Coordinates of all heavy atoms in Angstrom, one line a residue:
R15 N 11.1 -3.4 -10.3 CA 10.7 -2.2 -10.9 C 9.3 -1.9 -10.5 O 8.5 -2.8 -10.2 CB 11.0 -2.3 -12.4 CG 9.8 -2.5 -13.3 CD 10.2 -2.6 -14.7 NE 9.4 -1.6 -15.4 CZ 9.9 -0.8 -16.3 NH1 11.2 -0.8 -16.7 NH2 9.1 0.1 -16.8
I30 N -2.9 -12.8 -6.8 CA -2.4 -12.5 -5.4 C -3.5 -12.2 -4.4 O -3.4 -12.7 -3.3 CB -1.4 -11.3 -5.6 CG1 -0.2 -11.7 -6.5 CG2 -0.9 -10.8 -4.2 CD1 0.6 -10.5 -7.0
P41 N -8.3 -11.9 6.8 CA -8.9 -12.8 5.8 C -10.2 -12.3 5.2 O -10.5 -12.6 4.1 CB -9.1 -14.1 6.6 CG -8.5 -13.9 8.0 CD -8.1 -12.5 8.1
A49 N -14.2 -9.0 -10.2 CA -14.8 -7.6 -10.3 C -14.2 -6.8 -9.2 O -14.0 -5.5 -9.4 CB -16.3 -7.7 -10.1
R64 N -5.7 11.8 -11.3 CA -6.2 12.8 -10.4 C -5.2 13.4 -9.5 O -5.0 14.6 -9.3 CB -7.4 12.3 -9.6 CG -8.1 13.2 -8.6 CD -9.2 12.6 -7.8 NE -8.5 11.5 -6.9 CZ -8.8 10.2 -7.0 NH1 -9.7 9.8 -7.9 NH2 -8.3 9.4 -6.2
V76 N 13.7 -9.1 -14.2 CA 14.1 -10.0 -15.3 C 12.8 -10.7 -15.8 O 12.6 -10.7 -17.1 CB 15.0 -11.0 -14.7 CG1 15.4 -12.1 -15.8 CG2 16.3 -10.4 -14.3
G85 N 2.1 1.6 -2.9 CA 1.9 3.0 -3.2 C 1.3 3.8 -2.1 O 0.9 3.2 -1.1
S114 N 8.2 0.4 -0.3 CA 7.4 1.3 0.5 C 8.2 2.6 0.8 O 7.6 3.7 0.9 CB 7.0 0.6 1.9 OG 6.1 -0.4 1.6
H139 N 2.9 -7.8 12.7 CA 4.2 -7.3 13.1 C 5.1 -7.1 11.9 O 5.8 -6.0 11.9 CB 4.9 -8.3 14.0 CG 4.2 -8.6 15.2 ND1 4.0 -7.7 16.3 CD2 3.5 -9.8 15.6 CE1 3.2 -8.3 17.2 NE2 2.9 -9.5 16.9
L150 N 8.0 6.0 9.5 CA 6.8 6.3 10.1 C 6.8 6.0 11.6 O 7.5 5.0 12.0 CB 5.7 5.6 9.4 CG 5.5 5.9 7.9 CD1 4.3 5.1 7.3 CD2 5.5 7.3 7.6
R155 N -3.1 4.0 18.9 CA -3.4 2.5 19.1 C -4.8 2.5 19.8 O -5.0 3.2 20.8 CB -2.4 1.9 20.0 CG -2.7 0.5 20.3 CD -1.7 -0.1 21.3 NE -1.9 -1.5 21.6 CZ -2.9 -2.0 22.5 NH1 -3.6 -1.1 23.2 NH2 -3.1 -3.3 22.6
A172 N 2.5 7.3 11.3 CA 2.5 8.5 10.4 C 3.9 9.2 10.4 O 4.7 8.9 11.3 CB 1.5 9.6 10.9
A184 N -8.2 9.0 9.3 CA -7.5 7.7 9.1 C -8.2 6.6 9.8 O -8.1 5.4 9.3 CB -6.1 7.8 9.8

Side-chain angles (χ1 to χ4, degrees):
R15 105 178 238 134
I30 294 167
R64 182 185 62 246
V76 175
S114 292
H139 303 291
L150 306 182
R155 179 187 181 274

